[in-house]
Amino acid sequence: GAAAAPPPPRQYKLAPQSELRVEVLPDVPLRVRLVAGTAEIFGTELPPEGWVPIPPRSKIAIFTWHGATVELDGVSESEYTSDETPMVIYVNAHAILDARRAGARVAAVQGGDLEASQGPRVIVVGPTDSGKSTLCKMLLSWAAKLGWKPTYVDLDIGQGSITIPGCISATPIEKPIDIVDGIPLEMPLVYFYGHPNPSINADAYKVLMKELAKTLEKQFSGNAESRAAGMVINTMGWVEGLGYELLLNAIDTFKANVVLVLGQEKLWKMLKDAKPNIDVVKLHKSEGVVLRNSKYRQRTRSFRIKEYFYGIANDLAPHSNIVNFSDVSVYRIGGGHQAPRSALPIGAEPVADPTRLVAVNISTDMVHTVLAVSYAKEPDEIISSNVAGFIHVTDVDIQRKKLTYIAPCPGDLPSRLLIASSLTWYEA
Ligand code: ADP
């Protein structure tokens, strides 16, 4: 039969403290417009005029504090309103953080020590799909709206929001996060782990966290403004066993002084007992948070990689390039046993050195994988260096010893030292 006619634009009148929850389809555009009142999407206000395109596949809530009328145009996967939200609790948490920032700024002006002039370092924890990334966005956007420049730290290697998966990264947030463009990407500090799952090499994950924290600490010591604004740290949804251990590690490594626990009583209790000297606060999870199964998450990872090269709206054209094998050196972080069992004293077990760099031969196995371009000058600096960006291997010609890749920018690679990964993306 004939395709159904697209629905006409429709208006929703939202009561104070209610929200319109919308799921956008993967390939059908949807846009939203404020007709009356004020409303925000995850902490960023809708402009008073004009249509705002909502990126494909996103799941959003248009929330209003004081009441609003909004209009949707386009086909959505679902749309419904709700007046049950935890937003008042969230904004109260924001107010407490804000008071701490103000206190830190006063201390800095009065020449207080590093401790007193340090604003809140908030870490948001909870199981997958508890709304962690969303709460981080709100806290950052609300702070930025008041003129603070908090640092966003994303430790979620599975569904990170700063750059491609497999990375831990940080970036200053200087204005409310753009509804269309997302987190600003002018100057992110990115360390490459290379896998979407921390258990592959948990020790390397810890070392990279330590490196990122060290760099941020250095930046903060020379910048009272960002020090007072503090950090908002997003974490992985893995909260049991090794996942829990890594959370404790993250709290210590980044010297977090506020832990916000979303939607899990047990985790809150455990962290409270484990960290009696810092504030561990339990917050309600929003019923609006959309559950995503592992297949969906896998697909999202793939889209994030594609977006890096092609843009959110498929509006960028990546550049294809060819290098000789001899022009680059590819390394893998960790793995590989230090010594074969036969070379060890009797009874000793071979130990894998998790942060040892292993030179990798270029092979056709690398086709479709992502390689990171390191800022390191020497191979042994790779683990402690952040990365400039990523390339995607499109072909390996063993006979002619040539590797073909795409990169977001034209020209030579900024470095010849590359880091291998298990991240793949298949061009459709
Ligand atoms: P987590 O970081 O804990 O895995 P997210 O914050 O990424 O969870 O939320 C999961 C999904 O639910 C995201 O797509 C997010 O945009 C969406 N979401 C969060 N809060 C709401 C809400 N109130 N209404 C609609 N969608 C929401």
Side-chain angles (χ1 to χ4, degrees):
R10 57 265 177 215
Q11 294 195 349
Y12 287 90
K13 195 167 178 351
L14 300 173
Q17 290 182 28
S18 69
E19 65 187 24
L20 172 61
R21 296 172 182 160
V22 186
E23 290 189 63
V24 187
L25 289 161
D27 36 25
V28 187
L30 185 89
R31 50 186 198 154
V32 59
R33 180 169 76 100
L34 184 65
V35 178
T38 53
E40 58 185 50
I41 297 180
F42 302 148
T44 301
E45 277 184 272
L46 277 180
E49 277 172 6
W51 289 98
V52 179
I54 305 300
R57 287 179 299 276
S58 45
K59 301 161 193 325
I60 55 145
I62 304 158
F63 177 85
T64 179
W65 291 105
H66 306 293
T69 301
V70 297
E71 188 169 19
L72 290 185
D73 179 25
V75 192
S76 73
E77 190 165 346
S78 76
E79 53 193 71
Y80 70 98
T81 58
S82 172
D83 57 8
E84 275 177 49
T85 79
M87 293 293 277
V88 170
I89 307 173
Y90 293 175
V91 86
N92 283 340
H94 155 75
I96 293 168
L97 301 175
D98 194 53
R100 293 203 186 175
R101 292 187 181 106
R105 180 155 63 192
V106 170
V109 171
Q110 294 172 344
D113 59 16
L114 282 184
E115 175 95 24
S117 60
Q118 172 61 61
R121 295 187 176 188
V122 191
I123 186 163
V124 179
V125 307
T128 17
D129 298 332
S130 56
K132 294 179 298 298
S133 328
T134 305
L135 179 59
C136 287
K137 280 185 204 162
M138 290 192 263
L139 294 174
L140 290 161
S141 289
W142 287 332
K145 192 180 164 193
L146 296 176
W148 299 106
K149 294 175 181 164
T151 299
Y152 181 36
V153 178
D154 198 344
L155 305 178
D156 187 356
I157 48 181
Q159 305 278 312
S161 34
I162 297 182
T163 181
I164 69 164
C167 298
I168 63 170
S169 41
T171 190
I173 302 295
E174 308 195 334
K175 51 186 188 0
I177 295 164
D178 190 276
I179 294 167
V180 183
D181 298 335
I183 310 279
L185 288 179
E186 285 93 54
M187 40 192 285
L189 188 57
V190 181
Y191 288 83
F192 193 58
Y193 170 73
H195 317 283
N197 179 338
S199 60
I200 292 173
N201 190 346
D203 288 305
Y205 180 76
K206 287 186 199 167
V207 170
L208 292 172
M209 284 202 288
K210 211 178 267 173
E211 291 295 336
L212 173 59
K214 203 164 78 186
T215 306
L216 289 175
E217 214 65 74
K218 215 180 289 164
Q219 292 181 352
F220 278 174
S221 66
N223 186 336
E225 197 187 358
S226 54
R227 195 174 170 79
M231 303 179 189
V232 176
I233 306 166
N234 188 26
T235 59
M236 292 179 283
W238 188 19
V239 297
E240 317 218 317
L242 176 62
Y244 177 71
E245 194 200 303
L246 291 173
L247 280 184
L248 292 178
N249 200 273
I251 293 171
D252 297 341
T253 304
F254 290 91
K255 299 199 177 76
N257 46 27
V258 180
V259 184
L260 300 179
V261 188
L262 277 172
Q264 212 195 60
E265 183 88 19
K266 181 178 140 206
L267 179 63
W268 169 70
K269 195 86 195 33
M270 281 167 71
L271 287 170
K272 225 174 138 55
D273 293 343
K275 298 285 167 201
N277 299 324
I278 59 181
D279 295 314
V280 183
V281 182
K282 186 176 55 177
L283 298 178
H284 281 286
K285 160 181 181 259
S286 168
E287 291 300 324
V289 177
V290 181
L291 298 183
R292 302 162 296 182
N293 61 26
S294 64
K295 200 161 162 211
Y296 182 93
R297 278 200 288 271
Q298 164 60 39
R299 263 209 309 274
T300 315
R301 278 200 280 278
S302 193
F303 279 121
R304 294 285 300 175
I305 297 173
K306 179 177 180 205
E307 261 172 37
Y308 175 82
F309 295 101
Y310 287 89
I312 294 178
N314 222 358
D315 51 348
L316 302 179
H319 300 264
S320 189
N321 233 326
I322 300 177
V323 285
N324 298 315
F325 287 2
S326 58
D327 293 338
V328 292
S329 306
V330 187
Y331 288 87
R332 181 160 50 89
I333 300 172
H337 292 111
Q338 274 175 321
R341 196 179 286 267
S342 60
L344 291 172
I346 291 166
E349 283 295 311
V351 278
D353 182 350
T355 58
R356 196 170 68 117
L357 283 158
V358 185
V360 190
N361 289 327
I362 297 175
S363 74
T364 50
D365 291 349
M366 260 175 215
V367 178
H368 304 304
T369 71
V370 170
L371 304 178
V373 184
S374 177
Y375 273 125
K377 302 248 171 352
E378 300 295 333
D380 61 359
E381 291 172 358
I382 286 179
I383 192 95
S384 59
S385 301
N386 55 322
V387 300
F390 310 94
I391 62 174
H392 182 248
V393 182
T394 50
D395 189 44
V396 169
D397 185 336
I398 297 290
Q399 235 133 58
R400 291 169 52 233
K401 295 194 173 8
K402 286 187 189 296
L403 179 148
T404 310
Y405 65 88
I406 56 168
C409 328
D412 289 343
L413 293 171
S415 155
R416 60 188 308 274
L417 295 180
L418 306 176
I419 314 171
S421 83
S422 62
L423 302 164
T424 51
W425 168 62
Y426 296 88
E427 202 151 0

